[in-house]
């Protein structure tokens, strides 16, 4: 039996093999990903893997590894394979039909959370909420807040529902609606945040292979990519309290244009905040 199963791999061999195949498929962070995949198929933590690296994979684990590698080699996103992903201080369910939370967006949450520090019972609006990662993170940071999330697409809404439950963020309210139609504008908010679709048509070719598995509706914005900024800045200004903040995530070349849009709409203290790569990633302003 043991001889017949000569191809059986130890965890150590599986890790090395996975790392090599990922690198050969052009995946940059093959060490990080190989560890994540081995954790996922074995259910072990990093420390447990270190102490049991000579253990053999079961047939079941090996089959799952084979299936995962076939998906990953065509650049199907790791986050969709794993099914949950860490963002900011919390975890979120992700899968087909929803934009994967990105570390760039943590900069937006940090700026927003900082602004809310001395507010009591803050009223918050998250437009184009996607997985809910922004709205739910703020709801968790501030349990006395009330967060309204507006999302248009049912595929994403399913994940928001799951993520509200996963994080027990019951100080949130979900509205199925459209930011371009002003849904959710009836209230008055201390903070309005949005990571809208902003990739202009001219940059579709620059998107990485994994992004092609994510919903276009969360990524692409017709023409120059600035439509949502123009509309939201205009439509929702009346929904911000005086002294309230509007904060956007923006594309890597869009900060100046978005600052200009906010200035034209009469907002004050317009400023850009850099992400971890030194790119202006967030634009915020006060009413
Ligand atoms: N930051 C994402 C990307 O570059 C885009 C997210 C968005 O359009 N809001 O893939």
């Amino acid at each position: 039996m043991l001889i017949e199963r000569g191809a059986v791999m130890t965890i150590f061999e599986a890790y090395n093999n996975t790392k090599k195949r990922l690198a050969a498929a052009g995946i940059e962070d093959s060490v990080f990903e190989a560890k994540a995949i081995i954790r996922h198929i074995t259910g072990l933590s990093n420390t447990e893997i270190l102490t049991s690296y000579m253990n053999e994979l079961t047939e079941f684990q090996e089959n799952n590894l084979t299936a995962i590698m076939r998906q990953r080699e065509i650049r199907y996103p790791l986050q969709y394979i794993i099914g949950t992903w860490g963002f900011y201080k919390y975890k979120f369910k992700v899968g087909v039909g929803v934009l994967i939370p990105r570390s760039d967006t943590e900069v937006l949450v940090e700026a927003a959370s900082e602004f809310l520090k001395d507010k009591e019972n803050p009223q918050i609006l998250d437009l184009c909420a996607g997985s809910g990662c922004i709205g739910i993170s703020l709801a968790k940071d501030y349990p006395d807040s009330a967060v309204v999330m507006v999302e248009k697409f049912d595929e994403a809404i399913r994940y928001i529902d799951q993520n509200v439950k996963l994080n027990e963020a019951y100080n949130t309210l979900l509205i199925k609606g459209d930011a371009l139609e002003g849904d959710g504008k009836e209230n008055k908010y201390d903070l309005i945040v949005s990571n809208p679709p902003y990739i202009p048509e001219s940059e579709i070719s620059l998107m990485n292979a994994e992004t092609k598995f994510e919903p276009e509706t969360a990524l692409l914005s017709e023409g120059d990519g600035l439509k949502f900024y123009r509309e939201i800045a205009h439509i929702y200004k009346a929904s911000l309290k005086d002294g309230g903040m509007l904060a956007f995530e923006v594309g890597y070349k869009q900060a100046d244009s978005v600052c200009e849009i906010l200035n034209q709409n009469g907002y004050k203290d317009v400023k850009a905040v850099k992400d971890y790569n030194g790119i202006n990633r967030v634009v915020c302003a006060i009413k």
Side-chain angles (χ1 to χ4, degrees):
M1 192 58 184
L2 237 144
I3 293 165
E4 265 177 42
R5 291 195 69 203
V8 166
M9 279 185 277
T10 63
I11 290 181
F12 182 65
E13 287 164 341
Y15 165 73
N16 277 324
N17 185 16
T18 299
K19 194 174 59 181
K20 268 191 217 133
R21 282 176 64 180
L22 291 169
I27 291 162
E28 248 171 62
D29 208 347
S30 54
V31 171
F32 168 82
E33 286 211 14
K35 282 185 194 160
I37 290 170
I38 299 298
R39 281 200 305 273
H40 185 65
I41 60 156
T42 59
L44 300 174
S45 67
N46 278 344
T47 337
E48 287 165 339
I49 288 174
L50 284 177
T51 57
S52 51
Y53 70 99
M54 288 310 286
N55 291 5
E56 287 172 352
L57 291 192
T58 64
E59 202 174 338
F60 176 79
Q61 291 169 337
E62 211 174 302
N63 289 340
N64 279 300
L65 180 58
T66 305
I68 288 173
M69 290 312 290
R70 288 202 183 135
Q71 292 179 301
R72 207 53 201 106
E73 281 176 335
I74 58 161
R75 308 297 290 270
Y76 187 74
L78 177 69
Q79 294 89 337
Y80 284 179
I81 293 170
I82 306 258
T84 45
W85 201 247
F87 169 82
Y88 186 57
K89 297 182 227 165
Y90 310 106
K91 271 195 179 162
F92 295 89
K93 296 212 184 230
V94 291
V96 175
V98 74
L99 189 79
I100 296 162
R102 287 152 162 75
S103 52
D104 296 340
T105 308
E106 292 174 348
V107 179
L108 175 60
V109 175
E110 277 159 15
S113 193
E114 177 65 26
F115 172 76
L116 293 172
K117 235 170 42 190
D118 46 11
K119 303 263 179 301
E120 254 175 50
N121 303 115
Q123 306 294 304
I124 302 166
L125 178 64
D126 176 6
L127 296 169
C128 311
S131 63
C133 66
I134 301 170
I136 292 170
S137 294
L138 295 172
K140 293 298 291 175
D141 274 6
Y142 295 96
D144 69 335
S145 68
V147 179
V148 176
M149 293 183 275
V150 175
E151 172 55 45
K152 184 175 176 186
F153 296 100
D154 289 327
E155 296 82 356
I157 284 175
R158 282 192 309 152
Y159 287 98
I160 297 184
D161 282 337
Q162 293 183 48
N163 285 325
V164 164
K165 291 195 186 96
L166 179 69
N167 288 288
E168 300 180 6
Y170 297 117
N171 50 331
T172 58
L173 174 76
L174 172 61
I175 298 179
K176 180 178 157 81
D178 190 343
L180 299 177
E181 300 290 335
D183 290 314
K185 73 174 178 190
E186 302 74 19
N187 259 324
K188 285 273 186 186
Y189 302 96
D190 297 282
L191 170 72
I192 299 178
V193 278
S194 183
N195 174 19
Y198 57 63
I199 299 181
E201 282 152 6
S202 58
E203 285 173 17
I204 294 179
S205 60
L206 304 179
M207 295 193 325
N208 66 24
E210 284 79 3
T211 307
K212 295 185 179 130
F213 291 94
E214 293 184 273
E216 265 183 20
T217 48
L219 292 159
L220 308 182
S221 177
E222 60 191 52
D224 61 4
L226 301 173
K227 181 176 182 179
F228 279 82
Y229 304 118
R230 290 193 190 96
E231 295 296 327
I232 291 172
H234 175 66
I235 300 174
Y236 289 90
K237 192 173 177 203
S239 317
L240 263 186
K241 296 182 189 171
D242 287 336
M245 185 167 85
L246 174 61
F248 288 125
E249 175 173 322
V250 302
Y252 73 107
K253 285 196 295 201
Q254 293 172 331
D256 288 349
S257 309
V258 176
C259 285
E260 203 181 306
I261 290 169
L262 292 177
N263 279 318
Q264 281 165 358
N265 279 278
Y267 291 83
K268 306 178 296 199
D269 303 335
V270 178
K271 66 168 191 206
V273 185
K274 290 192 191 313
D275 65 18
Y276 310 118
N277 298 314
I279 294 168
N280 280 328
R281 182 59 64 188
V282 167
V283 170
C284 46
I286 303 295
K287 178 176 157 184

